[in-house]
Amino acid sequence: MNEQASYKHSMKLERRTASLYVQNTGCQQCPPDYGWGPGVRDHFLLHYVVSGRGVYECRDKRYELGGGDIFLIYPDTTIHYAADREDPWEYVWVGFSGLDAKGYVEQTDFTPEDPVLRGDSGGELRERMEAVYDSYGTSAWEGLEMTARLYSLLSCLVRTSQRQKQERSGALDCAQLAAEYIINHYEEPITVEGLAAYASVSHSSLYRRFIKRFQISPKRFLLEYRIQRACALLVESGCSIQEVSNSVGFEDPFYFSRAFKEVKGVSPRQYAARHRGGGEERLPE
């Protein structure tokens, strides 16, 4: 970014039903005492202080900020910010909105009561904000690029959030972690040993927690979830038994057929015939 650049551009997008989008972006080397407000914005507005100093006032609090600090303006919140008289700041900003914007912000360390982050020591957030700014354009692909970089920026804020780390450490037990892994990766090779390693517990601990939480073992949970997904494919997709078997993580279609019958009481062929009008399968049971 050119450190001497002033305000370059702003883009207003009336996509009120979009999940997330960039509403405006820019950078500015402010003159002494230059400020904005008191006033309100109708979207989230993130500022990164590149250099210099300034103040941000929000909810009867005053924050003195310098290089590497970041402040967030919340929609419909009265704020005021201004550059220092002796060492006016330069900042880059990204304004964003969308149906999912509030939910993403709530996963970061920003709160309405404390809308400031101090000291981006590694410079990663600055790079991601400038990437949004640099990708500005009016073509379709540039709009997509800008949105992608906005997601990248927010993902960085969520990933580095201390609040999220604390919530993640206490929110999910090993059985829940393993179950979610199965649900998201059921079509891949999965072993109980691998699940235990993923959840950072022993095989026996995972087994006990699974029994307590789900009343079945991890191995049985995996089998029944795969069969559940197979049922949907047999009814809705028109796939052959072999195709369904491969799609839900069984390498051997004959083993899949035996496992399916053990869980559902009928073969895959019979289940498909009952639920989609008796179509012939291309592979024997």
Side-chain angles (χ1 to χ4, degrees), residues 88-207:
W89 57 17
E90 175 190 358
Y91 49 59
V92 57
W93 75 84
V94 174
F96 60 94
S97 191
L99 298 178
D100 294 333
K102 182 175 182 290
Y104 292 139
V105 169
E106 288 174 347
Q107 298 177 62
T108 72
D109 281 333
F110 291 112
T111 66
E113 294 72 30
D114 189 10
V116 168
L117 297 182
R118 300 282 187 174
D120 176 29
S121 58
E124 183 178 8
L125 289 171
R126 173 181 175 176
E127 291 178 1
R128 297 199 184 203
M129 287 193 67
E130 290 180 348
V132 176
Y133 172 78
D134 292 338
S135 63
Y136 169 82
T138 57
S139 68
W141 73 266
E142 288 168 322
L144 290 170
E145 182 72 17
M146 239 187 340
T147 302
R149 294 186 179 188
L150 174 59
Y151 273 108
S152 178
L153 167 62
L154 292 174
S155 75
C156 181
L157 287 167
V158 173
R159 173 172 53 81
T160 58
S161 166
Q162 293 302 311
R163 181 172 59 176
Q164 279 294 302
K165 291 177 182 178
Q166 293 169 1
E167 289 177 358
R168 284 194 295 268
S169 65
L172 296 178
D173 63 22
C174 62
Q176 182 67 25
L177 282 171
E180 290 187 359
Y181 186 89
I182 288 171
I183 290 169
N184 291 321
H185 301 273
Y186 65 90
E187 75 280 6
E188 302 172 6
I190 296 176
T191 64
V192 177
E193 291 75 14
L195 288 172
Y198 174 75
S200 301
V201 294
S202 67
H203 183 291
S204 58
S205 293
L206 180 63
Y207 179 86

Side-chain angles (χ1 to χ4, degrees), residues 225-241:
Y225 190 79
R226 282 173 165 169
I227 298 303
Q228 176 185 328
R229 298 304 306 149
C231 288
L233 288 174
L234 286 166
V235 174
E236 299 169 6
S237 70
C239 292
S240 70
I241 292 176

Side-chain angles (χ1 to χ4, degrees), residues 202-220:
S202 67
H203 183 291
S204 58
S205 293
L206 180 63
Y207 179 86
R208 288 195 300 270
R209 296 295 288 272
F210 239 88
I211 293 295
K212 182 178 180 180
R213 187 174 181 86
F214 299 109
Q215 291 76 55
I216 55 176
S217 69
K219 186 175 181 180
R220 185 69 183 187

